[in-house]
């Protein structure tokens, strides 16, 4: 086994917790916030129920297609479909405001996972290159702000979001793109994430080692075997030392 030179992390439920509320609840709150924004601007006249129904159907359809082809859809593009469906004339400033309003309920409830900063600091101090590969439909500016808010940003050498790359995990391209940016071979890298198919399966399929960050209630029935598992990030450094033969 080649010496590990890079440690690459998933973001949600690995370094930052996005699921303090269910995505169903967050979707409802986001629909209300975005509708209120349009209403306050005088841009929409139809009632909330019809607006929410149109929005939900477009999001569900986009997710379904994305799950099949692993091409990530961008909420920015989907918003344009919403405006077209509703026959709304949106100016640039209103467009940005709509995106901000929709995302606000999500970012208001995110929290830092215990040990995230300390773990990144440790691996950085040991000379590893650090990367982040995350699935998201939202603009990268939202997540970069969160990474800076929680003091994770300075430690990361490469940050990739599926909304910008165009492909989402477990598609091999997003992992290979990160490895290329770090100038690291797959067998020299380790991926840490909380999902078996997207994170562990995706990473191992391109030749990376992969450790599962266990999350209570997550579905782990897929027949994919990680190279290790941790429940807390504090368990990661000694496990990596062991894997490296130290």
């Amino acid at each position: 086994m080649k010496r590990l030179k890079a440690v690459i992390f998933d973001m949600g439920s690995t370094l930052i917790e996005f699921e303090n509320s269910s995505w169903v609840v967050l979707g409802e709150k986001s629909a209300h916030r975005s509708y209120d924004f349009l209403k306050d601007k005088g841009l929409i006249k139809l009632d909330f129920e019809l607006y929410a129904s149109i929005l939900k159907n477009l999001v569900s359809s986009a997710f379904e297609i994305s799950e099949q082809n692993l091409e990530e859809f961008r909420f920015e593009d989907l918003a344009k479909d919403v405006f077209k469906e509703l026959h709304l004339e949106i100016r640039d400033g209103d467009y940005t405001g709509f995106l901000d309003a929709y995302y606000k309920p999500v970012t208001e409830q995110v929290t830092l996972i215990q040990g995230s900063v300390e773990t990144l600091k440790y691996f950085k101090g040991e000379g590893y290159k650090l990367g982040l590969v995350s699935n998201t439909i939202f603009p990268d500016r939202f997540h970069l702000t969160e990474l800076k808010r929680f003091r994770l940003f300075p430690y990361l050498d490469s940050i990739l979001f599926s909304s910008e790359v165009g492909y989402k995990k477990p598609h091999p391209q997003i992992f290979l793109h990160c490895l290329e940016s770090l100038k690291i071979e797959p067998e020299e890298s380790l991926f840490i994430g909380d999902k078996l198919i997207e994170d562990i399966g995706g990473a191992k399929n391109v030749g990376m080692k992969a450790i599962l960050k266990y999350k209570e209630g997550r579905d782990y029935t897929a027949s994919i075997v990680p190279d290790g598992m941790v429940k807390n990030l504090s368990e990661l450094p000694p496990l990596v030392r062991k894997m490296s033969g130290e």
Side-chain angles (χ1 to χ4, degrees):
M1 173 180 168
K2 284 190 176 182
R3 179 185 176 275
L4 291 175
K5 296 181 180 179
V7 183
I8 303 168
F9 294 83
D10 170 46
M11 182 172 63
S13 296
T14 300
L15 296 175
I16 298 175
E17 186 55 77
F18 283 80
E19 298 179 36
N20 292 305
S21 299
S22 74
W23 287 109
V24 172
V25 170
L26 290 173
E28 292 172 351
K29 289 183 177 180
S30 292
H32 274 286
R33 288 285 187 92
S34 56
Y35 177 81
D36 289 343
F37 172 82
L38 296 173
K39 195 77 171 176
D40 291 343
K41 288 284 186 176
L43 296 169
I44 191 169
K45 291 185 170 57
L46 74 166
D47 61 30
F48 172 75
E49 286 71 22
L50 180 56
Y51 165 78
S53 176
I54 292 171
L55 180 62
K56 182 179 180 180
N57 288 339
L58 286 171
V59 171
S60 297
S61 177
F63 263 119
E64 186 176 336
I65 295 171
S66 179
E67 285 296 298
Q68 292 172 356
N69 60 21
L70 296 183
E71 293 180 7
E72 189 65 274
F73 76 91
R74 291 155 46 95
F75 188 77
E76 292 168 283
D77 297 330
L78 184 134
K80 294 175 184 177
D81 293 335
V82 173
F83 302 149
K84 184 177 179 180
E85 184 82 13
L86 297 175
H87 306 290
L88 302 183
E89 292 292 334
I90 303 295
R91 298 163 298 187
D92 288 343
D94 294 333
Y95 182 65
T96 300
F98 174 85
L99 295 175
D100 291 345
Y102 187 93
Y103 188 70
K104 195 169 184 180
V106 178
T107 198
E108 284 178 338
Q109 55 88 62
V110 299
T111 54
L112 182 67
I113 289 180
Q114 185 175 8
S116 293
V117 175
E118 294 82 359
T119 299
L120 294 187
K121 184 177 181 180
Y122 168 80
F123 285 113
K124 195 72 171 179
E126 291 296 308
Y128 290 91
K129 292 184 177 180
L130 299 183
L132 183 143
V133 175
S134 177
N135 283 355
T136 181
I137 65 173
F138 297 111
D140 61 351
R141 63 184 175 89
F142 292 143
H143 300 310
L144 292 174
T145 297
E146 290 158 347
L147 290 171
K148 291 172 183 177
R149 185 206 314 175
F150 292 123
R151 298 180 293 116
L152 301 174
F153 181 81
Y155 298 103
L156 297 167
D157 301 297
S158 176
I159 300 171
L160 292 179
F161 298 112
S162 60
S163 56
E164 303 302 316
V165 176
Y167 295 98
K168 68 186 202 178
K169 298 176 292 184
H171 196 289
Q173 192 59 46
I174 192 168
F175 293 98
L176 295 174
H177 192 54
C178 181
L179 293 171
E180 182 181 356
S181 69
L182 292 172
K183 295 180 172 56
I184 294 292
E185 297 297 321
E187 59 269 24
E188 298 174 322
S189 65
L190 172 69
F191 193 85
I192 297 95
D194 66 295
K195 294 183 178 178
L196 276 178
I197 296 174
E198 292 90 337
D199 296 323
I200 307 306
K204 289 178 74 68
N205 280 342
V206 299
M208 302 168 70
K209 294 292 184 182
I211 291 177
L212 180 69
K213 167 65 170 64
Y214 179 83
K215 177 176 171 60
E216 189 73 35
R218 186 73 80 219
D219 180 9
Y220 292 129
T221 57
S223 56
I224 297 171
V225 182
D227 296 297
M229 185 189 79
V230 297
K231 289 189 175 181
N232 301 298
L233 288 174
S234 61
E235 302 169 32
L236 194 57
L239 179 56
V240 174
R241 288 196 295 270
K242 184 178 179 180
M243 291 175 66
S244 300
E246 298 178 15

